[in-house]
Amino acid sequence: MKPTLINDKMVARLQHCDNRVNSDFNSPEELAEMCEKIESQANPDHSVTLISLLSSYLEAKAMSHWFHGGDLATFKNLCYNILKLKYISGQPPCNNPRAHSVIGDRLFYLLSDHEPLISWFSQLMYDYEVKYSEPSMANSAGNYSLQLALALQGDIDLLGERAECFIETPPKNWTKRFLVDSQFYLALAKGDEQGMEAAIKELVTPRRLNYRKDWDEGAFTQGLIGTSAIIYSKLAWRYGYEIIVDSPYLPKEWIPVQPLENYEDEFDFMKAFPI
């Protein structure tokens, strides 16, 4: 069933995705040339840039595919490719994982349901943010990505401690916007299904979507979906809580954790990097 676009902002964002996919820059010839340059390994630094461009193209392609009525398996496989491209950036000869930038694509990673790559991602984020691991630093700037890493790694006790610390001593700076995130994580740590659902519902209210759009959303998601609500719905399912909130910004088909039987690489050079 083709998703319903309920307002002009959604229509405009989908058109933006379509334009990116169909641009001359992403023609078959241009894509082939980028892949050839990456495969040659002649300039690893430039390869990182090209890989990032391919990843961005696939993000637009995934959103365009889904919102034009595409199938879930193809969408999920595109999400896998977005994550694998980030993984390849961190391998020789590129050796450039750029952990601080990886978090921006966290939505697509979780939607892939590809466990080996999700495990790599969570460890990468943990290693990058581990300096913020003390619960007393739970209202620091690094808290957001570390909490996600802890949730993915199953460190539920530390996750709950940090969330509780944030709630009890909420910050007064820009990080206060993550209070609802801490409410979700504390509910997850306690197994409070109603609390998790309440936090997810809050994240798809018009007020929250607008307030957090510059942080939560990227060029191909803003106005189409509620990224944090989807991420927390996926996390809840990963812990056995089958929560699906009814919202046009939260495609319910994306939420169950169901890995594909086979994942296919979008570009041939990717096959040289098994995981």
Side-chain angles (χ1 to χ4, degrees):
M1 181 183 297
K2 186 175 180 179
T4 301
L5 304 180
I6 63 171
N7 55 45
D8 291 342
K9 288 183 178 179
M10 295 182 83
V11 173
R13 186 59 58 179
L14 180 57
Q15 185 62 58
H16 176 66
C17 295
D18 294 344
N19 291 343
R20 181 60 177 269
V21 172
N22 298 318
S23 71
D24 292 340
F25 185 78
N26 290 317
S27 68
E29 294 77 16
E30 289 292 331
L31 292 172
E33 184 177 347
M34 282 192 277
C35 291
E36 184 178 338
K37 289 179 179 178
I38 294 168
E39 194 166 15
S40 73
Q41 301 185 2
N43 188 337
D45 289 339
H46 187 47
S47 291
V48 171
T49 300
L50 295 176
I51 288 171
S52 180
L53 291 172
L54 291 177
S55 177
S56 180
Y57 160 71
L58 291 182
E59 289 180 17
K61 186 175 180 179
M63 297 300 286
S64 180
H65 173 81
W66 178 260
F67 281 95
H68 282 297
D71 65 285
L72 180 62
T74 300
F75 172 79
K76 192 171 290 191
N77 195 73
L78 286 166
C79 292
Y80 151 80
N81 275 273
I82 294 165
L83 177 50
K84 187 170 181 181
L85 284 171
K86 292 290 186 179
Y87 169 77
I88 291 171
S89 285
Q91 309 307 307
C94 295
N95 292 317
N96 189 2
R98 298 175 66 181
H100 64 283
S101 68
V102 173
I103 190 67
D105 299 319
R106 62 202 180 280
L107 168 71
F108 295 100
Y109 307 161
L110 291 182
L111 291 175
S112 75
D113 288 335
H114 188 277
E115 289 304 320
L117 281 171
I118 291 173
S119 177
W120 167 81
F121 163 66
S122 66
Q123 188 61 51
L124 178 69
M125 292 313 306
Y126 179 81
D127 291 344
Y128 183 70
E129 303 290 4
V130 70
K131 56 184 176 292
Y132 302 109
S133 60
E134 289 297 322
S136 61
M137 298 183 70
N139 59 5
S140 65
N143 179 64
Y144 185 77
S145 51
L146 179 56
Q147 288 291 79
L148 177 57
L150 292 173
L152 289 172
Q153 292 184 339
D155 195 343
I156 202 74
D157 292 335
L158 181 56
L159 178 75
E161 284 182 55
R162 293 173 57 80
E164 193 166 32
C165 183
F166 190 102
I167 292 169
E168 290 178 351
T169 56
K172 297 180 180 180
N173 60 8
W174 64 273
T175 59
K176 65 183 180 182
R177 74 184 67 183
F178 299 126
L179 178 61
V180 66
D181 304 74
S182 290
Q183 290 168 343
F184 170 82
Y185 283 128
L186 183 58
L188 178 63
K190 292 182 174 181
D192 176 5
E193 196 164 348
Q194 289 185 335
M196 286 182 262
E197 185 172 356
I200 294 168
K201 284 182 176 179
E202 174 65 22
L203 285 165
V204 289
T205 60
R207 176 177 174 272
R208 285 290 178 183
L209 288 169
N210 183 64
Y211 181 57
R212 292 169 58 117
K213 63 184 180 182
D214 292 334
W215 169 262
D216 276 358
E217 308 304 338
F220 308 117
T221 64
Q222 190 176 120
L224 276 175
I225 59 174
T227 287
S228 287
I230 295 169
I231 288 173
Y232 296 148
S233 297
K234 292 290 288 187
L235 284 176
W237 274 70
R238 291 174 71 87
Y239 278 85
Y241 304 105
E242 298 185 357
I243 299 170
I244 294 184
V245 169
D246 184 20
S247 169
Y249 298 101
L250 206 165
K252 63 180 183 297
E253 297 89 346
W254 294 3
I255 306 308
V257 179
Q258 298 172 340
L260 299 177
E261 289 187 12
N262 295 293
Y263 290 87
E264 300 292 335
D265 292 326
E266 187 81 3
F267 307 110
D268 284 344
F269 78 87
M270 299 173 67
K271 296 174 182 177
F273 298 88
I275 183 169

PDB file of all heavy atoms in Angstrom, residues 210-228:
ATOM      1  N   ASN A 210       8.337  19.640  15.067  1.00  0.00           N
ATOM      2  CA  ASN A 210       8.857  20.939  14.644  1.00  0.00           C
ATOM      3  C   ASN A 210      10.048  21.369  15.494  1.00  0.00           C
ATOM      4  O   ASN A 210      11.051  21.877  14.974  1.00  0.00           O
ATOM      5  CB  ASN A 210       7.750  21.988  14.730  1.00  0.00           C
ATOM      6  CG  ASN A 210       8.206  23.345  14.233  1.00  0.00           C
ATOM      7  OD1 ASN A 210       8.539  23.510  13.063  1.00  0.00           O
ATOM      8  ND2 ASN A 210       8.230  24.329  15.124  1.00  0.00           N
ATOM      9  N   TYR A 211       9.963  21.131  16.793  1.00  0.00           N
ATOM     10  CA  TYR A 211      11.000  21.572  17.725  1.00  0.00           C
ATOM     11  C   TYR A 211      12.324  20.855  17.479  1.00  0.00           C
ATOM     12  O   TYR A 211      13.397  21.432  17.616  1.00  0.00           O
ATOM     13  CB  TYR A 211      10.513  21.312  19.155  1.00  0.00           C
ATOM     14  CG  TYR A 211      11.461  21.723  20.252  1.00  0.00           C
ATOM     15  CD1 TYR A 211      11.919  23.032  20.358  1.00  0.00           C
ATOM     16  CD2 TYR A 211      11.882  20.800  21.209  1.00  0.00           C
ATOM     17  CE1 TYR A 211      12.773  23.413  21.382  1.00  0.00           C
ATOM     18  CE2 TYR A 211      12.742  21.170  22.231  1.00  0.00           C
ATOM     19  CZ  TYR A 211      13.179  22.474  22.312  1.00  0.00           C
ATOM     20  OH  TYR A 211      14.029  22.842  23.321  1.00  0.00           O
ATOM     21  N   ARG A 212      12.247  19.588  17.070  1.00  0.00           N
ATOM     22  CA  ARG A 212      13.457  18.771  16.949  1.00  0.00           C
ATOM     23  C   ARG A 212      13.887  18.522  15.505  1.00  0.00           C
ATOM     24  O   ARG A 212      14.843  17.784  15.265  1.00  0.00           O
ATOM     25  CB  ARG A 212      13.220  17.422  17.639  1.00  0.00           C
ATOM     26  CG  ARG A 212      13.078  17.532  19.147  1.00  0.00           C
ATOM     27  CD  ARG A 212      12.586  16.212  19.729  1.00  0.00           C
ATOM     28  NE  ARG A 212      13.473  15.110  19.425  1.00  0.00           N
ATOM     29  CZ  ARG A 212      14.147  14.400  20.334  1.00  0.00           C
ATOM     30  NH1 ARG A 212      14.033  14.705  21.613  1.00  0.00           N
ATOM     31  NH2 ARG A 212      14.911  13.394  19.982  1.00  0.00           N
ATOM     32  N   LYS A 213      13.221  19.130  14.559  1.00  0.00           N
ATOM     33  CA  LYS A 213      13.474  18.783  13.160  1.00  0.00           C
ATOM     34  C   LYS A 213      14.915  19.032  12.734  1.00  0.00           C
ATOM     35  O   LYS A 213      15.477  18.263  11.941  1.00  0.00           O
ATOM     36  CB  LYS A 213      12.521  19.545  12.243  1.00  0.00           C
ATOM     37  CG  LYS A 213      12.680  21.061  12.284  1.00  0.00           C
ATOM     38  CD  LYS A 213      11.639  21.751  11.413  1.00  0.00           C
ATOM     39  CE  LYS A 213      11.806  23.265  11.470  1.00  0.00           C
ATOM     40  NZ  LYS A 213      10.767  23.963  10.674  1.00  0.00           N
ATOM     41  N   ASP A 214      15.532  20.087  13.248  1.00  0.00           N
ATOM     42  CA  ASP A 214      16.898  20.397  12.824  1.00  0.00           C
ATOM     43  C   ASP A 214      17.914  19.423  13.410  1.00  0.00           C
ATOM     44  O   ASP A 214      19.016  19.278  12.868  1.00  0.00           O
ATOM     45  CB  ASP A 214      17.265  21.829  13.221  1.00  0.00           C
ATOM     46  CG  ASP A 214      16.471  22.859  12.438  1.00  0.00           C
ATOM     47  OD1 ASP A 214      16.038  22.540  11.319  1.00  0.00           O
ATOM     48  OD2 ASP A 214      16.264  23.975  12.954  1.00  0.00           O
ATOM     49  N   TRP A 215      17.558  18.769  14.505  1.00  0.00           N
ATOM     50  CA  TRP A 215      18.457  17.782  15.097  1.00  0.00           C
ATOM     51  C   TRP A 215      18.145  16.385  14.580  1.00  0.00           C
ATOM     52  O   TRP A 215      19.031  15.636  14.181  1.00  0.00           O
ATOM     53  CB  TRP A 215      18.352  17.796  16.620  1.00  0.00           C
ATOM     54  CG  TRP A 215      19.055  16.627  17.241  1.00  0.00           C
ATOM     55  CD1 TRP A 215      18.502  15.447  17.659  1.00  0.00           C
ATOM     56  CD2 TRP A 215      20.463  16.485  17.456  1.00  0.00           C
ATOM     57  NE1 TRP A 215      19.462  14.592  18.136  1.00  0.00           N
ATOM     58  CE2 TRP A 215      20.680  15.205  18.019  1.00  0.00           C
ATOM     59  CE3 TRP A 215      21.560  17.313  17.238  1.00  0.00           C
ATOM     60  CZ2 TRP A 215      21.953  14.741  18.362  1.00  0.00           C
ATOM     61  CZ3 TRP A 215      22.824  16.846  17.579  1.00  0.00           C
ATOM     62  CH2 TRP A 215      23.010  15.581  18.129  1.00  0.00           C
ATOM     63  N   ASP A 216      16.884  16.026  14.591  1.00  0.00           N
ATOM     64  CA  ASP A 216      16.490  14.650  14.286  1.00  0.00           C
ATOM     65  C   ASP A 216      16.545  14.307  12.803  1.00  0.00           C
ATOM     66  O   ASP A 216      16.829  13.167  12.441  1.00  0.00           O
ATOM     67  CB  ASP A 216      15.062  14.390  14.775  1.00  0.00           C
ATOM     68  CG  ASP A 216      15.018  14.012  16.243  1.00  0.00           C
ATOM     69  OD1 ASP A 216      16.087  13.916  16.863  1.00  0.00           O
ATOM     70  OD2 ASP A 216      13.906  13.808  16.768  1.00  0.00           O
ATOM     71  N   GLU A 217      16.233  15.274  11.970  1.00  0.00           N
ATOM     72  CA  GLU A 217      15.986  14.941  10.571  1.00  0.00           C
ATOM     73  C   GLU A 217      17.105  15.393   9.644  1.00  0.00           C
ATOM     74  O   GLU A 217      17.840  16.334   9.928  1.00  0.00           O
ATOM     75  CB  GLU A 217      14.661  15.554  10.115  1.00  0.00           C
ATOM     76  CG  GLU A 217      13.477  15.233  11.018  1.00  0.00           C
ATOM     77  CD  GLU A 217      13.246  13.744  11.218  1.00  0.00           C
ATOM     78  OE1 GLU A 217      13.688  12.939  10.386  1.00  0.00           O
ATOM     79  OE2 GLU A 217      12.608  13.376  12.226  1.00  0.00           O
ATOM     80  N   GLY A 218      17.181  14.697   8.516  1.00  0.00           N
ATOM     81  CA  GLY A 218      18.154  15.032   7.495  1.00  0.00           C
ATOM     82  C   GLY A 218      17.467  15.552   6.251  1.00  0.00           C
ATOM     83  O   GLY A 218      16.245  15.761   6.219  1.00  0.00           O
ATOM     84  N   ALA A 219      18.243  15.724   5.207  1.00  0.00           N
ATOM     85  CA  ALA A 219      17.736  16.323   3.975  1.00  0.00           C
ATOM     86  C   ALA A 219      16.636  15.498   3.318  1.00  0.00           C
ATOM     87  O   ALA A 219      15.820  16.038   2.567  1.00  0.00           O
ATOM     88  CB  ALA A 219      18.887  16.512   2.989  1.00  0.00           C
ATOM     89  N   PHE A 220      16.595  14.199   3.613  1.00  0.00           N
ATOM     90  CA  PHE A 220      15.630  13.335   2.932  1.00  0.00           C
ATOM     91  C   PHE A 220      14.547  12.788   3.861  1.00  0.00           C
ATOM     92  O   PHE A 220      13.725  11.974   3.441  1.00  0.00           O
ATOM     93  CB  PHE A 220      16.365  12.178   2.250  1.00  0.00           C
ATOM     94  CG  PHE A 220      17.496  12.643   1.380  1.00  0.00           C
ATOM     95  CD1 PHE A 220      18.805  12.284   1.661  1.00  0.00           C
ATOM     96  CD2 PHE A 220      17.260  13.478   0.301  1.00  0.00           C
ATOM     97  CE1 PHE A 220      19.853  12.732   0.871  1.00  0.00           C
ATOM     98  CE2 PHE A 220      18.303  13.939  -0.493  1.00  0.00           C
ATOM     99  CZ  PHE A 220      19.604  13.565  -0.205  1.00  0.00           C
ATOM    100  N   THR A 221      14.543  13.238   5.113  1.00  0.00           N
ATOM    101  CA  THR A 221      13.532  12.743   6.059  1.00  0.00           C
ATOM    102  C   THR A 221      12.662  13.841   6.654  1.00  0.00           C
ATOM    103  O   THR A 221      11.534  13.567   7.068  1.00  0.00           O
ATOM    104  CB  THR A 221      14.195  11.979   7.222  1.00  0.00           C
ATOM    105  OG1 THR A 221      15.027  12.878   7.979  1.00  0.00           O
ATOM    106  CG2 THR A 221      15.028  10.815   6.711  1.00  0.00           C
ATOM    107  N   GLN A 222      13.169  15.064   6.704  1.00  0.00           N
ATOM    108  CA  GLN A 222      12.433  16.134   7.384  1.00  0.00           C
ATOM    109  C   GLN A 222      11.066  16.346   6.741  1.00  0.00           C
ATOM    110  O   GLN A 222      10.947  16.551   5.538  1.00  0.00           O
ATOM    111  CB  GLN A 222      13.231  17.436   7.355  1.00  0.00           C
ATOM    112  CG  GLN A 222      12.633  18.517   8.241  1.00  0.00           C
ATOM    113  CD  GLN A 222      13.481  19.773   8.288  1.00  0.00           C
ATOM    114  OE1 GLN A 222      13.031  20.849   7.922  1.00  0.00           O
ATOM    115  NE2 GLN A 222      14.722  19.639   8.735  1.00  0.00           N
ATOM    116  N   GLY A 223      10.047  16.281   7.569  1.00  0.00           N
ATOM    117  CA  GLY A 223       8.688  16.459   7.085  1.00  0.00           C
ATOM    118  C   GLY A 223       8.011  15.179   6.641  1.00  0.00           C
ATOM    119  O   GLY A 223       6.789  15.147   6.488  1.00  0.00           O
ATOM    120  N   LEU A 224       8.789  14.112   6.441  1.00  0.00           N
ATOM    121  CA  LEU A 224       8.219  12.834   6.011  1.00  0.00           C
ATOM    122  C   LEU A 224       8.003  11.873   7.171  1.00  0.00           C
ATOM    123  O   LEU A 224       7.006  11.146   7.207  1.00  0.00           O
ATOM    124  CB  LEU A 224       9.129  12.161   4.975  1.00  0.00           C
ATOM    125  CG  LEU A 224       8.979  12.586   3.516  1.00  0.00           C
ATOM    126  CD1 LEU A 224      10.046  11.907   2.657  1.00  0.00           C
ATOM    127  CD2 LEU A 224       7.591  12.260   2.977  1.00  0.00           C
ATOM    128  N   ILE A 225       8.951  11.852   8.108  1.00  0.00           N
ATOM    129  CA  ILE A 225       8.900  10.883   9.203  1.00  0.00           C
ATOM    130  C   ILE A 225       9.358  11.535  10.505  1.00  0.00           C
ATOM    131  O   ILE A 225       9.882  12.652  10.507  1.00  0.00           O
ATOM    132  CB  ILE A 225       9.797   9.656   8.921  1.00  0.00           C
ATOM    133  CG1 ILE A 225      11.258  10.094   8.723  1.00  0.00           C
ATOM    134  CG2 ILE A 225       9.287   8.877   7.717  1.00  0.00           C
ATOM    135  CD1 ILE A 225      12.235   8.943   8.593  1.00  0.00           C
ATOM    136  N   GLY A 226       9.177  10.808  11.602  1.00  0.00           N
ATOM    137  CA  GLY A 226       9.701  11.213  12.902  1.00  0.00           C
ATOM    138  C   GLY A 226      10.817  10.264  13.290  1.00  0.00           C
ATOM    139  O   GLY A 226      10.566   9.176  13.811  1.00  0.00           O
ATOM    140  N   THR A 227      12.046  10.670  13.036  1.00  0.00           N
ATOM    141  CA  THR A 227      13.189   9.764  13.175  1.00  0.00           C
ATOM    142  C   THR A 227      13.321   9.178  14.578  1.00  0.00           C
ATOM    143  O   THR A 227      13.466   7.959  14.739  1.00  0.00           O
ATOM    144  CB  THR A 227      14.486  10.495  12.771  1.00  0.00           C
ATOM    145  OG1 THR A 227      14.499  10.639  11.341  1.00  0.00           O
ATOM    146  CG2 THR A 227      15.720   9.724  13.198  1.00  0.00           C
ATOM    147  N   SER A 228      13.296  10.006  15.606  1.00  0.00           N
ATOM    148  CA  SER A 228      13.496   9.480  16.962  1.00  0.00           C
ATOM    149  C   SER A 228      12.383   8.517  17.360  1.00  0.00           C
ATOM    150  O   SER A 228      12.633   7.495  18.009  1.00  0.00           O
ATOM    151  CB  SER A 228      13.596  10.626  17.972  1.00  0.00           C
ATOM    152  OG  SER A 228      14.837  11.289  17.851  1.00  0.00           O
TER     153      SER A 228
END
